[in-house]
Amino acid sequence: EICEGDPDILPGTAIADKRPGLKIKCQNAYLDLKTIQAEGKKAMKTEEYLRGIDSRNIKVIKDPPV
């Protein structure tokens, strides 16, 4: 799913916000990931994937774009 982007965040930034999910900043929008499939693993909902990884490398923002 693609949603409107914040021009102050650099493209390629991964963002986990208060809602379950993960967004990747693109040039003018965000790519809202609904499912993730790690190499050699089965596809799963993004929120399930995030529960099982080290999220310290994901930038968290207080007021994500809608």
Side-chain angles (χ1 to χ4, degrees), residues 46-57:
T46 301
E47 60 191 67
E48 294 170 357
Y49 179 81
L50 291 174
R51 276 189 243 132
I53 65 164
D54 181 358
S55 61
R56 289 180 286 186
N57 294 325

Side-chain angles (χ1 to χ4, degrees), residues 9 15-16 18 21 26-27 31-33 39-40 46 58 60-61 63:
I9 298 176
I15 302 163
K18 294 176 185 175
C26 300
Q27 187 66 31
L31 181 60
D32 190 2
L33 303 178
E39 185 176 352
T46 301
I58 298 175
V60 177
I61 59 174
D63 299 311

Side-chain angles (χ1 to χ4, degrees), residues 2-6 9 11-12 24-32 65:
I2 298 174
C3 48
E4 189 174 320
D6 180 344
I9 298 176
I24 306 297
K25 176 66 168 79
C26 300
Q27 187 66 31
N28 297 315
Y30 287 89
L31 181 60
D32 190 2

